[in-house]
Amino acid sequence: MAILMDGKALAAEKMEELRQRTEALKARGVTPGLSVILVGDDPASQVYVRNKGRACEELGFYSRTVRLPEETTQAELETLIDELNADGRVDGILVQLPLPRHLDEAAALRRIRPEKDVDGFHVENAGRLFTGQDGVVACTPKGILYMLKKSGVPLSGKDAVVIGRSNIVGKPVAVLLLNENCTVTLCHSRTADLAAHTRRADVLVAAVGRPRFVTADMVKPGAAVVDVGINRVDGKVVGDVDFAAVEPVAGWISPVPGGVGKMTICMLMENTLEAAEKRSR
Ligand code: NDP
């Protein structure tokens, strides 16, 4: 039976640490602030934005959520970002993705001042990660690493396989695993014989966006399996891993819900807190 990488428990412990650090900072007169911009009314995005607001409340952050209509123009969005860039109460700005199709996501992200880019999606922060310099690390990849390390999963010298090559999960998590001295393979939809790769993985990260995509025969016995997927099936949230089948084979496994998603929010709060700590220096 696999050891559960329990995002809920790890998040509760991390939030307590963040709460104490927030209190210490507030005692010095600095309140961390996060502003989330939501354009349109995508139902999943609304849930994420609400959860982020709640986490801010729990830690006592200043929080400002700006909801813009679907038909918002690029200029209007960028004017708002400029305003938040200049707002001294706001340490972190997050543009909830995906944006409606008519908007230029990359340009919007570039508009955020890199030190306020708490999602770590700005090219400067992505470039810093890629070149081994200090910067803001994207929340989901950072949360995955945190979870693996806290769960005692050995990384150095191990074979890590990541399924998915997106800018927000696959690529940055591959770099983080490389930094931990894993030998990393990055797989995607054109990978020939995916299972031949995944079966060699000591650490397997699934960030595909397909329900129960990773089956037991794709997993090396004893591997650490991280499920990043959030898929809605018949009104239920399920991951990219067939949990019931894989759990008896794996050495460690993260559930969905209650896994990576919980860590992602914690890391967002930590990135915001760290931006505020830097401001206070
Ligand atoms: P993307 O859709 O951007 O990327 C999916 C990746 O999976 C692509 O690289 C794609 O390959 C690859 N892929 C698709 N089909 C296959 C296949 N049959 N075989 C191998 N690879 C395949 O998704 P994201 O990275 O944004 O998100 C992935 C999942 O993680 C989603 O379910 C998302 O909801 C979830 N997520 C969860 C978060 C959390 O906090 N828990 C945060 C962010 C995302 P190709 O590049 O060739 O198209």
Side-chain angles (χ1 to χ4, degrees):
M1 234 178 62
I3 296 169
L4 191 73
M5 293 188 280
D6 184 349
K8 229 170 160 180
L10 289 171
E13 181 193 303
K14 183 71 181 172
M15 285 295 271
E16 179 51 30
E17 176 209 313
L18 296 179
R19 208 183 48 72
Q20 286 174 19
R21 277 165 65 187
T22 304
E23 258 176 31
L25 192 63
K26 284 173 108 173
R28 293 200 276 126
V30 178
T31 301
L34 175 66
S35 188
V36 178
I37 303 171
L38 174 61
V39 186
D41 45 20
D42 176 68
S45 293
Q46 298 209 24
V47 174
Y48 300 144
V49 167
R50 213 176 310 131
N51 289 344
K52 286 162 190 173
R54 275 200 200 125
C56 283
E57 224 171 83
E58 196 182 326
L59 293 177
F61 285 12
Y62 166 74
S63 157
R64 180 179 169 205
T65 302
V66 186
R67 291 186 167 76
L68 297 174
E70 181 86 20
E71 57 277 10
T72 300
T73 64
Q74 186 75 20
E76 284 165 343
L77 175 60
E78 292 189 7
T79 301
L80 173 64
I81 293 172
D82 289 346
E83 189 194 301
L84 296 170
N85 275 335
D87 187 336
R89 293 167 302 180
V90 173
D91 296 290
I93 303 169
L94 185 153
V95 176
Q96 185 64 47
L97 303 180
L99 286 171
R101 283 236 209 91
H102 67 279
L103 294 173
D104 182 343
E105 224 162 73
L109 295 176
R110 272 200 308 275
R111 194 82 181 191
I112 300 171
R113 271 172 53 188
E115 61 273 27
K116 292 197 177 192
D117 165 45
V118 283
D119 245 345
F121 294 165
H122 191 287
V123 281
E124 180 167 327
N125 285 317
R128 283 175 173 274
L129 176 65
F130 202 81
T131 53
Q133 300 174 63
D134 267 353
V136 184
V137 176
C139 305
T140 300
K142 188 175 171 180
I144 292 169
L145 253 287
Y146 181 86
M147 176 181 252
L148 286 168
K149 285 183 162 183
K150 276 278 177 182
S151 306
V153 175
L155 296 175
S156 186
K158 299 296 178 187
D159 281 325
V161 174
V162 179
I163 319 175
R165 56 175 162 180
S166 71
N167 289 332
I168 64 170
V169 188
K171 279 191 244 174
V173 84
V175 175
L176 290 177
L177 288 165
L178 187 61
N179 290 348
E180 297 298 327
N181 300 315
C182 288
T183 302
V184 183
T185 304
L186 203 43
C187 298
H188 44 78
S189 68
R190 310 293 173 90
T191 298
D193 200 356
L194 179 66
H197 291 284
T198 61
R199 274 200 286 266
R200 281 193 298 100
D202 301 303
V203 178
L204 179 61
V205 178
V208 194
R210 290 176 182 239
R212 304 186 187 100
F213 180 80
V214 174
T215 47
D217 59 314
M218 294 168 74
V219 175
K220 177 177 174 176
V225 180
V226 179
D227 191 349
V228 187
I230 299 178
N231 308 289
R232 282 173 181 78
V233 179
D234 301 331
K236 264 182 64 183
V237 173
V238 300
D240 287 346
V241 175
D242 183 348
F243 186 93
V246 169
E247 193 268 344
V249 180
W252 293 262
I253 191 165
S254 71
V256 174
V260 173
K262 293 275 177 204
M263 300 318 306
T264 297
I265 294 222
C266 277
M267 296 302 139
L268 173 66
M269 294 300 120
E270 183 167 54
N271 283 350
T272 306
L273 177 58
E274 280 173 0
E277 286 169 343
K278 280 192 188 131
R279 161 162 72 97
S280 77
R281 277 182 208 140

